[in-house]
Amino acid sequence: MNLILFDDPGLRQNLLPLTFTRPIADLRVGILTIKEKWKLYSGKATISYLTESYLTAQFPFAPQEENIFINGALIPNQAVAASVFNLPSETCLMHGDTLIAVKTAAKTLKSPEAYPNKIEVRGEIKILDQVWKIFQLNGEAIRADFSSLTKGRKSADLNDPHTIVYGKENLFIEENVNFKAAIINAENGPVYIGRNAQIQEGAILRGPLAICHDSHINMGAKLRGDNTIGPHCKVGGEVSNTIFQGYSNKAHDGFIGNSVIGHWCNLGADTNTSNLKNNYASIKVWSYAREDFINSGLTFFGLIMGDHAKCGINTMFNSGTIVGVGANIFGAGYPRTMIPSFAWGGAEGFSTFKLEKMLEVAETVMDRKTEKLKETDKEIFRHIFNETARYRVWEKEK
């Protein structure tokens, strides 16, 4: 079985800036990325992507003689996966006007009208159609992934007599996890801790919670629920309903809530996000699809931060802030709530973070975790730098 996870262009726009650097299906919701969820349900299937041309060197497209194209924004469950895998040939699975999947011998994806047969999907469908859905759906996704990943398996033993656990039946520990005098409350949702994770002294963990492999939870951290700490992250302070996609750090005190942090980001000491307006009004956020601010309809909305973005100590983010790829934010006061990619500055104004300087920083940061910035990465950043130039309005004022 050959699965191809395609980016719906409209949905991809709604998920920027996170999808500037990767296909939709490479986003993490719950414990796993969407691609990893499909791998779990499909077993030995081969999986590739149909995405923007500038991303294909990093995320290749690999059609075969028969293919199942699947909407990459679909968060699968067992029932939906079965419907997709059992599609007849040249038939598409629809959810209203949204194409969910199509099985075809063709090596290209066509519009639904081109296929002779259509089936309406049954059951509950979860689609990432807005960037805030990532944190809205995260608690539910953790529960579903936890059930799938731990079914028929036995948790590793808790290796610390001073760590207290409530709801131990909802705790699953992979191999080589190190605890030191933590408090874990899994009564209201499962807690999954990946291999080689470290939970330091005084950390308080509440489920639903996913701590992925090789991540560190620092001393005294307070993880309040519905959180995912992606692989190779270091997290401290107070965190609520937030997803760290991977290789990112918030090592110090400060609050972040109702947020999504991309890959290779760093939040300086005492960085805080507002996730609730003083007047309790719904929060407006920048939409790349509309090229304007839209009403999210949410009372709680913190920060969306694209890959390789950084902020300095004591940074204060207002509710509903969107930070682009490779931005570097610092200084006193609240910066604007739409910060373009490759911005350099803060509340007092921005200049452009030159591409080559940003790449130097990325190389240094990745080398610290024994990863390498590849030439394909550099080409992706060059494309994003040029594509997002129109948002850096200060360049036009010179």
Side-chain angles (χ1 to χ4, degrees):
M1 185 162 53
N2 189 53
L3 309 182
I4 300 170
L5 305 177
F6 70 87
D7 281 354
D8 179 302
L11 298 182
R12 178 183 178 272
Q13 285 290 111
N14 289 343
L15 297 168
L16 294 173
L18 299 173
T19 48
F20 273 135
T21 47
R22 62 195 63 252
I24 298 171
D26 202 54
L27 294 174
R28 188 176 306 277
V29 191
I31 303 172
L32 304 170
T33 67
I34 294 176
K35 179 187 177 182
E36 289 169 344
K37 297 177 200 293
W38 282 109
K39 189 67 177 176
L40 193 64
Y41 285 121
S42 63
K44 296 182 178 180
T46 56
I47 303 178
S48 65
Y49 301 92
L50 178 57
T51 185
E52 297 293 306
S53 58
Y54 74 91
L55 293 172
T56 54
Q58 195 85 287
F59 302 95
F61 172 54
Q64 296 182 12
E65 293 303 314
E66 186 171 67
N67 307 291
I68 303 178
F69 289 87
I70 303 171
N71 193 320
L74 175 67
I75 299 177
N77 57 41
Q78 192 70 56
V80 171
S83 297
V84 169
F85 299 152
N86 293 318
L87 273 175
S89 186
E90 306 306 322
T91 300
C92 53
L93 188 65
M94 303 294 297
H95 178 59
D97 295 330
T98 301
L99 176 62
I100 296 298
V102 60
K103 186 175 184 179
T104 178
K107 296 183 179 181
T108 57
L109 178 64
K110 304 173 185 177
S111 64
E113 294 75 23
Y115 299 98
N117 304 308
K118 297 178 182 62
I119 300 172
E120 185 70 16
V121 68
R122 296 181 180 180
E124 191 175 18
I125 293 293
K126 300 290 185 185
I127 295 177
L128 291 185
D129 54 5
Q130 296 289 347
V131 71
W132 57 79
K133 288 286 187 72
I134 299 173
F135 63 77
Q136 273 193 315
L137 298 175
N138 199 54
E140 181 180 345
I142 291 171
R143 295 175 193 271
D145 288 348
F146 184 91
S147 178
S148 298
L149 285 170
T150 64
K151 186 176 181 180
R153 300 176 61 211
K154 184 178 184 298
S155 170
D157 292 331
L158 182 63
N159 60 11
D160 177 47
H162 304 294
T163 291
I164 300 171
V165 180
Y166 301 92
K168 190 173 182 179
E169 67 279 6
N170 295 323
L171 171 65
F172 194 91
I173 306 166
E174 299 285 2
E175 71 272 11
N176 199 34
V177 175
N178 188 272
F179 294 89
K180 289 288 187 295
I183 299 172
I184 303 172
N185 185 347
E187 291 180 334
N188 296 319
V191 174
Y192 173 89
I193 304 180
R195 67 182 185 277
N196 304 324
Q198 293 189 30
I199 316 299
Q200 295 183 351
E201 302 92 309
I204 303 172
L205 315 180
R206 177 184 287 268
L209 169 65
I211 299 172
C212 299
H213 65 85
D214 296 283
S215 283
H216 293 194
I217 307 303
N218 288 351
M219 293 182 297
K222 298 185 286 289
L223 307 189
R224 289 171 43 186
D226 294 339
N227 290 309
T228 294
I229 313 302
H232 296 276
C233 290
K234 291 184 179 180
V235 171
E238 185 178 5
V239 183
S240 176
N241 191 199
T242 293
I243 300 91
F244 288 80
Q245 292 286 321
Y247 292 90
S248 289
N249 295 336
K250 178 200 171 297
H252 306 284
D253 285 345
F255 171 74
I256 183 168
N258 304 95
S259 298
V260 185
I261 306 301
H263 293 75
W264 300 104
C265 298
N266 189 73
L267 280 66
D270 223 18
T271 292
N272 285 282
T273 63
S274 167
N275 65 338
L276 174 69
K277 296 183 72 171
N278 286 357
N279 61 3
Y280 290 70
S282 61
I283 296 168
K284 292 183 178 181
V285 298
W286 175 259
S287 166
Y288 283 91
R290 300 283 186 86
E291 301 247 325
D292 200 356
F293 288 90
I294 62 171
N295 191 338
S296 70
L298 300 180
T299 305
F300 291 93
F301 193 135
L303 169 69
I304 306 295
M305 180 175 274
D307 287 5
H308 286 271
K310 311 283 190 291
C311 66
I313 63 170
N314 297 314
T315 302
M316 300 186 296
F317 289 110
N318 245 319
S319 308
T321 297
I322 309 293
V323 176
V325 173
N328 200 306
I329 304 108
F330 53 86
Y334 289 94
R336 57 192 284 188
T337 56
M338 187 284 189
I339 300 175
S341 297
F342 302 94
W344 174 277
E348 295 183 359
F350 288 97
S351 59
T352 299
F353 193 4
K354 301 299 184 183
L355 176 61
E356 295 310 314
K357 292 294 185 182
M358 177 268 169
L359 293 177
E360 286 179 16
V361 173
E363 284 188 305
T364 300
V365 169
M366 293 176 71
D367 188 63
R368 284 163 57 91
K369 294 193 177 183
T370 65
E371 297 287 333
K372 295 297 180 185
L373 185 70
K374 301 184 290 293
E375 190 57 41
T376 52
D377 296 313
K378 295 178 182 179
E379 287 302 315
I380 288 170
F381 289 125
R382 290 187 184 106
H383 179 94
I384 297 167
F385 184 82
N386 293 326
E387 182 181 340
T388 59
R390 66 185 185 275
Y391 300 113
R392 296 188 292 273
V393 294
W394 55 85
E395 294 180 350
K396 302 171 186 177
E397 295 169 356
K398 293 181 179 179

Short mmCIF file of all heavy atoms in Angstrom, two decimals, residues 194-248:
data_model
loop_
_atom_site.label_atom_id
_atom_site.label_comp_id
_atom_site.label_asym_id
_atom_site.label_seq_id
_atom_site.Cartn_x
_atom_site.Cartn_y
_atom_site.Cartn_z
N GLY A 194 8.38 9.48 26.69
CA GLY A 194 9.18 8.77 25.69
C GLY A 194 10.56 8.40 26.19
O GLY A 194 11.03 8.86 27.23
N ARG A 195 11.23 7.60 25.40
CA ARG A 195 12.54 7.06 25.77
C ARG A 195 13.55 8.18 26.00
O ARG A 195 13.50 9.23 25.36
CB ARG A 195 13.05 6.10 24.69
CG ARG A 195 13.38 6.76 23.38
CD ARG A 195 13.83 5.76 22.33
NE ARG A 195 14.26 6.44 21.11
CZ ARG A 195 13.45 6.85 20.15
NH1 ARG A 195 12.14 6.65 20.26
NH2 ARG A 195 13.94 7.47 19.09
N ASN A 196 14.44 7.93 26.93
CA ASN A 196 15.56 8.83 27.25
C ASN A 196 15.13 10.19 27.79
O ASN A 196 15.95 11.11 27.85
CB ASN A 196 16.46 9.04 26.02
CG ASN A 196 16.99 7.75 25.43
OD1 ASN A 196 17.27 6.81 26.16
ND2 ASN A 196 17.07 7.69 24.12
N ALA A 197 13.87 10.34 28.17
CA ALA A 197 13.42 11.61 28.76
C ALA A 197 13.98 11.75 30.17
O ALA A 197 14.25 10.76 30.86
CB ALA A 197 11.91 11.68 28.77
N GLN A 198 14.13 13.00 30.60
CA GLN A 198 14.56 13.29 31.96
C GLN A 198 13.55 14.22 32.61
O GLN A 198 13.22 15.28 32.07
CB GLN A 198 15.94 13.95 31.96
CG GLN A 198 17.06 13.03 31.48
CD GLN A 198 18.43 13.63 31.69
OE1 GLN A 198 18.64 14.41 32.63
NE2 GLN A 198 19.37 13.28 30.84
N ILE A 199 13.07 13.79 33.79
CA ILE A 199 12.11 14.58 34.57
C ILE A 199 12.83 15.00 35.84
O ILE A 199 13.08 14.18 36.72
CB ILE A 199 10.84 13.77 34.90
CG1 ILE A 199 10.35 12.98 33.68
CG2 ILE A 199 9.77 14.68 35.46
CD1 ILE A 199 9.98 13.83 32.49
N GLN A 200 13.15 16.27 35.96
CA GLN A 200 14.00 16.72 37.05
C GLN A 200 13.22 17.03 38.32
O GLN A 200 11.98 16.99 38.35
CB GLN A 200 14.81 17.94 36.59
CG GLN A 200 15.80 17.61 35.49
CD GLN A 200 16.65 18.79 35.08
OE1 GLN A 200 16.42 19.92 35.49
NE2 GLN A 200 17.65 18.54 34.24
N GLU A 201 13.94 17.37 39.37
CA GLU A 201 13.40 17.51 40.71
C GLU A 201 12.28 18.56 40.75
O GLU A 201 12.41 19.67 40.24
CB GLU A 201 14.48 17.94 41.70
CG GLU A 201 15.66 16.99 41.78
CD GLU A 201 16.79 17.34 40.84
OE1 GLU A 201 16.51 17.52 39.62
OE2 GLU A 201 17.94 17.43 41.30
N GLY A 202 11.18 18.18 41.40
CA GLY A 202 10.11 19.12 41.67
C GLY A 202 9.18 19.41 40.51
O GLY A 202 8.28 20.25 40.62
N ALA A 203 9.36 18.74 39.37
CA ALA A 203 8.46 18.95 38.23
C ALA A 203 7.07 18.41 38.57
O ALA A 203 6.93 17.35 39.19
CB ALA A 203 9.00 18.27 36.99
N ILE A 204 6.04 19.16 38.16
CA ILE A 204 4.65 18.76 38.38
C ILE A 204 4.01 18.55 37.02
O ILE A 204 3.92 19.48 36.22
CB ILE A 204 3.88 19.83 39.18
CG1 ILE A 204 4.59 20.11 40.51
CG2 ILE A 204 2.45 19.39 39.42
CD1 ILE A 204 4.00 21.28 41.27
N LEU A 205 3.57 17.31 36.77
CA LEU A 205 3.06 16.93 35.45
C LEU A 205 1.60 16.50 35.58
O LEU A 205 1.27 15.63 36.38
CB LEU A 205 3.88 15.78 34.86
CG LEU A 205 5.41 15.87 34.96
CD1 LEU A 205 6.04 14.64 34.32
CD2 LEU A 205 5.92 17.14 34.31
N ARG A 206 0.74 17.09 34.75
CA ARG A 206 -0.68 16.73 34.77
C ARG A 206 -1.11 16.32 33.36
O ARG A 206 -0.79 16.99 32.37
CB ARG A 206 -1.51 17.92 35.26
CG ARG A 206 -3.02 17.68 35.25
CD ARG A 206 -3.78 18.93 35.66
NE ARG A 206 -3.65 19.17 37.09
CZ ARG A 206 -4.52 18.72 37.99
NH1 ARG A 206 -5.55 17.99 37.62
NH2 ARG A 206 -4.34 19.00 39.27
N GLY A 207 -1.84 15.21 33.28
CA GLY A 207 -2.33 14.75 31.99
C GLY A 207 -3.61 15.45 31.56
O GLY A 207 -4.27 16.09 32.38
N PRO A 208 -3.94 15.34 30.27
CA PRO A 208 -3.19 14.64 29.23
C PRO A 208 -1.87 15.34 28.93
O PRO A 208 -1.81 16.55 28.83
CB PRO A 208 -4.12 14.71 28.01
CG PRO A 208 -5.48 15.04 28.54
CD PRO A 208 -5.23 15.85 29.76
N LEU A 209 -0.84 14.51 28.77
CA LEU A 209 0.51 15.04 28.56
C LEU A 209 1.34 14.04 27.77
O LEU A 209 1.31 12.84 28.05
CB LEU A 209 1.18 15.30 29.92
CG LEU A 209 2.67 15.61 29.91
CD1 LEU A 209 2.95 16.93 29.20
CD2 LEU A 209 3.22 15.65 31.34
N ALA A 210 2.08 14.56 26.79
CA ALA A 210 3.05 13.74 26.05
C ALA A 210 4.41 14.40 26.17
O ALA A 210 4.57 15.57 25.82
CB ALA A 210 2.65 13.63 24.59
N ILE A 211 5.37 13.66 26.69
CA ILE A 211 6.76 14.09 26.70
C ILE A 211 7.50 13.14 25.77
O ILE A 211 7.68 11.96 26.09
CB ILE A 211 7.35 14.06 28.12
CG1 ILE A 211 6.56 15.01 29.03
CG2 ILE A 211 8.83 14.44 28.09
CD1 ILE A 211 6.93 14.91 30.49
N CYS A 212 7.89 13.61 24.62
CA CYS A 212 8.46 12.74 23.60
C CYS A 212 9.93 12.46 23.88
O CYS A 212 10.54 13.03 24.78
CB CYS A 212 8.26 13.36 22.22
SG CYS A 212 6.51 13.58 21.79
N HIS A 213 10.50 11.58 23.10
CA HIS A 213 11.83 11.03 23.39
C HIS A 213 12.90 12.11 23.45
O HIS A 213 12.87 13.13 22.76
CB HIS A 213 12.20 9.97 22.36
CG HIS A 213 12.37 10.47 20.96
ND1 HIS A 213 13.54 11.01 20.49
CD2 HIS A 213 11.50 10.50 19.91
CE1 HIS A 213 13.40 11.34 19.23
NE2 HIS A 213 12.18 11.05 18.84
N ASP A 214 13.83 11.88 24.37
CA ASP A 214 15.03 12.72 24.54
C ASP A 214 14.71 14.15 24.97
O ASP A 214 15.52 15.05 24.76
CB ASP A 214 15.86 12.74 23.25
CG ASP A 214 16.42 11.37 22.90
OD1 ASP A 214 17.41 10.96 23.53
OD2 ASP A 214 15.84 10.70 22.02
N SER A 215 13.55 14.36 25.60
CA SER A 215 13.22 15.68 26.11
C SER A 215 13.51 15.78 27.60
O SER A 215 13.50 14.77 28.31
CB SER A 215 11.76 16.01 25.83
OG SER A 215 11.59 16.37 24.48
N HIS A 216 13.76 17.01 28.07
CA HIS A 216 14.06 17.27 29.47
C HIS A 216 13.00 18.21 30.03
O HIS A 216 12.70 19.25 29.44
CB HIS A 216 15.43 17.94 29.63
CG HIS A 216 16.58 17.08 29.24
ND1 HIS A 216 17.89 17.39 29.57
CD2 HIS A 216 16.64 15.91 28.57
CE1 HIS A 216 18.70 16.44 29.11
NE2 HIS A 216 17.96 15.55 28.49
N ILE A 217 12.45 17.83 31.19
CA ILE A 217 11.56 18.72 31.93
C ILE A 217 12.36 19.24 33.12
O ILE A 217 12.79 18.46 33.98
CB ILE A 217 10.29 17.99 32.39
CG1 ILE A 217 9.61 17.30 31.20
CG2 ILE A 217 9.34 18.97 33.07
CD1 ILE A 217 9.25 18.22 30.05
N ASN A 218 12.55 20.53 33.18
CA ASN A 218 13.49 21.11 34.14
C ASN A 218 12.90 21.22 35.54
O ASN A 218 11.70 21.08 35.74
CB ASN A 218 13.96 22.47 33.64
CG ASN A 218 14.91 22.36 32.46
OD1 ASN A 218 15.36 21.26 32.12
ND2 ASN A 218 15.23 23.48 31.84
N MET A 219 13.76 21.51 36.49
CA MET A 219 13.38 21.59 37.90
C MET A 219 12.21 22.56 38.10
O MET A 219 12.21 23.68 37.58
CB MET A 219 14.56 22.07 38.73
CG MET A 219 15.71 21.09 38.81
SD MET A 219 17.05 21.71 39.88
CE MET A 219 17.56 23.18 38.99
N GLY A 220 11.22 22.09 38.86
CA GLY A 220 10.12 22.96 39.25
C GLY A 220 9.13 23.29 38.15
O GLY A 220 8.25 24.15 38.35
N ALA A 221 9.23 22.66 36.99
CA ALA A 221 8.29 22.94 35.90
C ALA A 221 6.87 22.56 36.30
O ALA A 221 6.65 21.62 37.06
CB ALA A 221 8.71 22.18 34.65
N LYS A 222 5.90 23.30 35.76
CA LYS A 222 4.49 23.02 36.00
C LYS A 222 3.79 22.85 34.66
O LYS A 222 3.52 23.83 33.96
CB LYS A 222 3.84 24.17 36.80
CG LYS A 222 4.46 24.37 38.18
CD LYS A 222 3.72 25.43 38.98
CE LYS A 222 3.99 26.83 38.49
NZ LYS A 222 5.39 27.25 38.82
N LEU A 223 3.53 21.60 34.30
CA LEU A 223 2.86 21.29 33.04
C LEU A 223 1.40 20.96 33.36
O LEU A 223 1.10 19.92 33.93
CB LEU A 223 3.54 20.13 32.33
CG LEU A 223 5.06 20.28 32.10
CD1 LEU A 223 5.57 19.17 31.20
CD2 LEU A 223 5.40 21.64 31.51
N ARG A 224 0.49 21.87 32.96
CA ARG A 224 -0.86 21.88 33.51
C ARG A 224 -1.88 21.04 32.75
O ARG A 224 -3.03 20.99 33.15
CB ARG A 224 -1.34 23.33 33.59
CG ARG A 224 -0.63 24.13 34.67
CD ARG A 224 -0.95 25.60 34.60
NE ARG A 224 -2.37 25.87 34.37
CZ ARG A 224 -2.87 27.09 34.17
NH1 ARG A 224 -2.06 28.13 34.18
NH2 ARG A 224 -4.14 27.27 33.96
N GLY A 225 -1.51 20.40 31.67
CA GLY A 225 -2.45 19.56 30.95
C GLY A 225 -2.59 19.95 29.50
O GLY A 225 -2.38 21.11 29.11
N ASP A 226 -2.93 18.95 28.66
CA ASP A 226 -3.10 19.13 27.21
C ASP A 226 -1.82 19.63 26.54
O ASP A 226 -1.87 20.36 25.55
CB ASP A 226 -4.26 20.09 26.91
CG ASP A 226 -5.61 19.52 27.32
OD1 ASP A 226 -5.72 18.29 27.46
OD2 ASP A 226 -6.55 20.31 27.49
N ASN A 227 -0.67 19.23 27.08
CA ASN A 227 0.62 19.65 26.55
C ASN A 227 1.32 18.52 25.81
O ASN A 227 1.24 17.35 26.21
CB ASN A 227 1.56 20.08 27.69
CG ASN A 227 1.14 21.38 28.34
OD1 ASN A 227 0.91 22.37 27.67
ND2 ASN A 227 1.03 21.36 29.67
N THR A 228 2.02 18.89 24.75
CA THR A 228 2.96 17.98 24.08
C THR A 228 4.32 18.64 24.06
O THR A 228 4.47 19.75 23.55
CB THR A 228 2.52 17.67 22.64
OG1 THR A 228 1.30 16.93 22.67
CG2 THR A 228 3.58 16.85 21.91
N ILE A 229 5.30 17.94 24.61
CA ILE A 229 6.69 18.37 24.55
C ILE A 229 7.37 17.46 23.54
O ILE A 229 7.62 16.29 23.80
CB ILE A 229 7.38 18.27 25.93
CG1 ILE A 229 6.49 18.89 27.03
CG2 ILE A 229 8.75 18.91 25.88
CD1 ILE A 229 6.11 20.34 26.81
N GLY A 230 7.62 17.99 22.35
CA GLY A 230 8.14 17.17 21.26
C GLY A 230 9.53 16.64 21.54
O GLY A 230 10.15 16.96 22.56
N PRO A 231 10.07 15.84 20.63
CA PRO A 231 11.39 15.24 20.87
C PRO A 231 12.48 16.29 20.98
O PRO A 231 12.44 17.35 20.34
CB PRO A 231 11.59 14.35 19.63
CG PRO A 231 10.63 14.85 18.62
CD PRO A 231 9.48 15.42 19.36
N HIS A 232 13.46 16.00 21.84
CA HIS A 232 14.66 16.83 22.00
C HIS A 232 14.32 18.26 22.41
O HIS A 232 14.93 19.21 21.92
CB HIS A 232 15.49 16.84 20.71
CG HIS A 232 16.04 15.50 20.33
ND1 HIS A 232 17.22 15.00 20.85
CD2 HIS A 232 15.55 14.54 19.50
CE1 HIS A 232 17.45 13.80 20.33
NE2 HIS A 232 16.45 13.50 19.52
N CYS A 233 13.36 18.42 23.32
CA CYS A 233 13.02 19.75 23.84
C CYS A 233 13.45 19.86 25.30
O CYS A 233 13.51 18.86 26.01
CB CYS A 233 11.52 20.00 23.75
SG CYS A 233 10.89 20.22 22.08
N LYS A 234 13.70 21.09 25.75
CA LYS A 234 13.93 21.38 27.16
C LYS A 234 12.89 22.41 27.59
O LYS A 234 12.81 23.49 27.00
CB LYS A 234 15.34 21.92 27.39
CG LYS A 234 16.43 20.89 27.18
CD LYS A 234 17.81 21.46 27.52
CE LYS A 234 18.88 20.40 27.32
NZ LYS A 234 20.24 20.92 27.63
N VAL A 235 12.13 22.05 28.62
CA VAL A 235 11.00 22.89 29.02
C VAL A 235 11.00 23.08 30.52
O VAL A 235 11.18 22.13 31.29
CB VAL A 235 9.67 22.28 28.54
CG1 VAL A 235 8.48 23.03 29.12
CG2 VAL A 235 9.59 22.30 27.02
N GLY A 236 10.79 24.33 30.95
CA GLY A 236 10.61 24.67 32.35
C GLY A 236 9.52 25.71 32.49
O GLY A 236 8.86 26.09 31.53
N GLY A 237 9.31 26.19 33.71
CA GLY A 237 8.28 27.18 33.96
C GLY A 237 6.88 26.59 33.89
O GLY A 237 6.68 25.40 34.12
N GLU A 238 5.90 27.43 33.56
CA GLU A 238 4.50 27.02 33.55
C GLU A 238 4.00 26.93 32.11
O GLU A 238 4.11 27.87 31.34
CB GLU A 238 3.66 28.05 34.32
CG GLU A 238 2.21 27.66 34.48
CD GLU A 238 1.42 28.69 35.28
OE1 GLU A 238 2.00 29.75 35.63
OE2 GLU A 238 0.24 28.43 35.55
N VAL A 239 3.43 25.76 31.78
CA VAL A 239 3.00 25.49 30.41
C VAL A 239 1.60 24.88 30.44
O VAL A 239 1.33 23.96 31.21
CB VAL A 239 3.98 24.53 29.69
CG1 VAL A 239 3.56 24.31 28.24
CG2 VAL A 239 5.41 25.05 29.75
N SER A 240 0.71 25.40 29.60
CA SER A 240 -0.67 24.92 29.55
C SER A 240 -1.13 24.81 28.10
O SER A 240 -1.01 25.78 27.34
CB SER A 240 -1.59 25.87 30.33
OG SER A 240 -2.94 25.48 30.21
N ASN A 241 -1.66 23.66 27.71
CA ASN A 241 -2.26 23.45 26.39
C ASN A 241 -1.36 23.99 25.28
O ASN A 241 -1.78 24.81 24.46
CB ASN A 241 -3.64 24.08 26.32
CG ASN A 241 -4.42 23.68 25.07
OD1 ASN A 241 -5.38 24.34 24.68
ND2 ASN A 241 -4.01 22.63 24.41
N THR A 242 -0.12 23.52 25.27
CA THR A 242 0.86 23.99 24.30
C THR A 242 1.58 22.80 23.68
O THR A 242 1.84 21.81 24.34
CB THR A 242 1.87 24.94 24.98
OG1 THR A 242 1.17 26.13 25.36
CG2 THR A 242 3.02 25.30 24.06
N ILE A 243 1.91 22.94 22.39
CA ILE A 243 2.63 21.91 21.66
C ILE A 243 3.98 22.46 21.24
O ILE A 243 4.05 23.46 20.52
CB ILE A 243 1.85 21.43 20.41
CG1 ILE A 243 0.50 20.86 20.80
CG2 ILE A 243 2.67 20.40 19.63
CD1 ILE A 243 -0.62 21.87 20.80
N PHE A 244 5.05 21.82 21.70
CA PHE A 244 6.39 22.08 21.19
C PHE A 244 6.66 21.01 20.13
O PHE A 244 6.73 19.82 20.45
CB PHE A 244 7.43 21.98 22.31
CG PHE A 244 7.38 23.11 23.30
CD1 PHE A 244 6.45 23.14 24.32
CD2 PHE A 244 8.28 24.17 23.20
CE1 PHE A 244 6.39 24.18 25.23
CE2 PHE A 244 8.25 25.22 24.11
CZ PHE A 244 7.29 25.23 25.13
N GLN A 245 6.81 21.43 18.88
CA GLN A 245 6.89 20.47 17.80
C GLN A 245 8.15 19.60 17.88
O GLN A 245 8.11 18.42 17.57
CB GLN A 245 6.84 21.19 16.45
CG GLN A 245 5.49 21.83 16.15
CD GLN A 245 4.43 20.82 15.79
OE1 GLN A 245 4.69 19.84 15.09
NE2 GLN A 245 3.22 21.03 16.26
N GLY A 246 9.27 20.18 18.29
CA GLY A 246 10.50 19.39 18.43
C GLY A 246 11.74 20.26 18.40
O GLY A 246 11.75 21.32 17.77
N TYR A 247 12.78 19.84 19.13
CA TYR A 247 14.08 20.52 19.13
C TYR A 247 13.97 21.98 19.57
O TYR A 247 14.76 22.82 19.12
CB TYR A 247 14.73 20.42 17.75
CG TYR A 247 15.15 19.02 17.37
CD1 TYR A 247 14.28 18.18 16.69
CD2 TYR A 247 16.42 18.54 17.70
CE1 TYR A 247 14.66 16.89 16.34
CE2 TYR A 247 16.81 17.26 17.35
CZ TYR A 247 15.92 16.43 16.68
OH TYR A 247 16.30 15.15 16.35
N SER A 248 13.03 22.30 20.41
CA SER A 248 12.85 23.69 20.87
C SER A 248 12.98 23.75 22.38
O SER A 248 12.73 22.77 23.08
CB SER A 248 11.48 24.22 20.43
OG SER A 248 11.45 24.43 19.03
#
